[in-house]
Amino acid sequence: MLTVDIGNTDIVFGVFENDNLTQTFRVPSKKQEDKIFFQTALANFLLENNLTADSLGVKVLSSVVPELSPVLLNILTQLNKSEVIEVKPGIHPLVKVKIENPDQLGTDLYTNAVSAYHHCHCACIIVDFGTALTFTAVSSIGEVLGVAITPGLKTAINSLFSKTAQLPEVPLELPLNAIGRNTVSSIQSGILNGYEGLVSNIIEKFKKEMNESEIEVFATGGLSSILPGNKALFDEIDIDLTLKGLYIIGKSLSAQ
């Protein structure tokens, strides 16, 4: 199965064989690029991994970038004769969406919810460290209850850098001390220590409002391990949670 997650920063492709994620690759989500750019990237990935288009079965697509959705959908449709499943909130039979406007829920957040709930079969919170830092609450009966959204770590630092002439761009590394002794460590402390508090505070508030006897907390996204002070909050850290959710959705729907 080929899974495709179109995010605001990258498009991530994953290949599953016998329930295992065997290959992944990513390409920047460049809206200005045409179909050939993404088609060539996918063709090179398949070639480098000794895969043929005909060897791929069901293809599952999630997208939070409307401009790129039809481009990748067209590429996947033309790739081979296998079915293409485009993820929509509520598409999986075991995970419903109980928010005011279900269509406004990002398909990546819904896919994360499917993946986490399928794993634990209990109430859960999914923290996704991406372009945006998101928190998704799922009840013990598999209902997406709602979301909290804040700028992601890189987004926050890049915004600070781009809007302030005298501040340099800095790496996402936790400084030794909370009190910064220079500009770089001051920014690192403010963002990273500040986000540690933000993450723990929102998780605590979610748990109180969910009022469940058992709640597991999942972390995903490329920066999910960057805040060491938060690691104890997570029952599981899995950077491939979204791709695994796409696979679960594809396997469920293609079996019907």
Side-chain angles (χ1 to χ4, degrees):
M1 186 185 297
L2 178 66
T3 58
V4 185
D5 175 32
I6 305 176
N8 288 297
T9 302
D10 291 321
I11 300 174
V12 185
F13 296 80
V15 175
F16 285 81
E17 297 180 55
N18 299 320
D19 293 339
N20 296 312
L21 179 61
T22 56
Q23 292 99 6
T24 65
F25 93 105
R26 62 182 61 227
V27 61
S29 302
K30 296 181 178 180
K31 302 179 185 67
Q32 69 273 20
E33 296 289 353
D34 58 18
K35 173 183 173 181
I36 299 300
F37 172 80
F38 301 107
Q39 203 167 32
T40 302
L42 177 57
N44 289 338
F45 165 68
L46 296 177
L47 184 63
E48 290 168 2
N49 288 279
N50 297 314
L51 295 168
T52 64
D54 289 338
S55 71
L56 300 173
V58 174
K59 297 153 290 187
V60 190
L61 173 67
S62 165
S63 175
V64 296
V65 186
E67 300 95 320
L68 293 179
S69 300
V71 177
L72 269 296
L73 185 60
N74 183 261
I75 291 172
L76 296 179
T77 301
Q78 294 182 355
L79 186 63
N80 58 27
K81 295 181 180 179
S82 299
E83 179 185 9
V84 180
I85 296 173
E86 191 172 8
V87 174
K88 303 291 183 185
I91 194 172
H92 192 280
L94 294 183
V95 181
K96 307 301 181 184
V97 182
K98 295 295 182 181
I99 63 175
E100 291 179 2
N101 299 293
D103 290 340
Q104 292 181 0
L105 180 68
T107 56
D108 55 341
L109 304 187
Y110 177 75
T111 301
N112 286 342
V114 170
S115 189
Y117 187 75
H118 182 270
H119 179 83
C120 68
H121 292 285
C122 66
C124 51
I125 299 168
I126 305 97
V127 186
D128 191 338
F129 292 80
T131 305
L133 172 60
T134 62
F135 302 77
T136 305
V138 183
S139 74
S140 56
I141 59 172
E143 294 178 341
V144 178
L145 303 174
V147 177
I149 303 173
T150 186
L153 287 157
K154 280 188 177 179
T155 304
I157 280 190
N158 290 340
S159 176
L160 188 62
F161 170 72
S162 65
K163 300 294 184 182
T164 311
Q166 292 187 326
L167 293 182
E169 191 169 7
V170 300
L172 283 171
E173 298 173 357
L174 193 68
L176 294 176
N177 301 300
I179 301 175
R181 304 294 183 181
N182 55 59
T183 302
V184 170
S185 64
S186 297
I187 295 172
Q188 289 173 326
S189 176
I191 296 293
L192 296 178
N193 287 317
Y195 267 71
E196 279 193 351
L198 183 154
V199 170
S200 61
N201 186 46
I202 292 182
I203 289 174
E204 181 182 357
K205 289 181 180 294
F206 266 42
K207 285 184 173 181
K208 287 181 179 178
E209 292 184 18
M210 291 169 72
N211 193 28
E212 298 269 10
S213 58
E214 179 186 6
I215 300 176
E216 290 199 12
V217 183
F218 294 76
T220 189
L223 299 176
S224 52
S225 299
I226 204 167
L227 301 176
N230 287 150
K231 286 186 179 179
L233 299 173
F234 305 130
D235 295 285
E236 183 161 343
I237 299 175
D238 187 350
I239 62 171
D240 297 317
L241 191 72
T242 310
L243 293 179
K244 291 176 181 177
L246 292 174
Y247 176 76
I248 291 165
I249 291 171
K251 187 174 181 180
S252 171
L253 296 183
S254 61
Q256 293 180 358

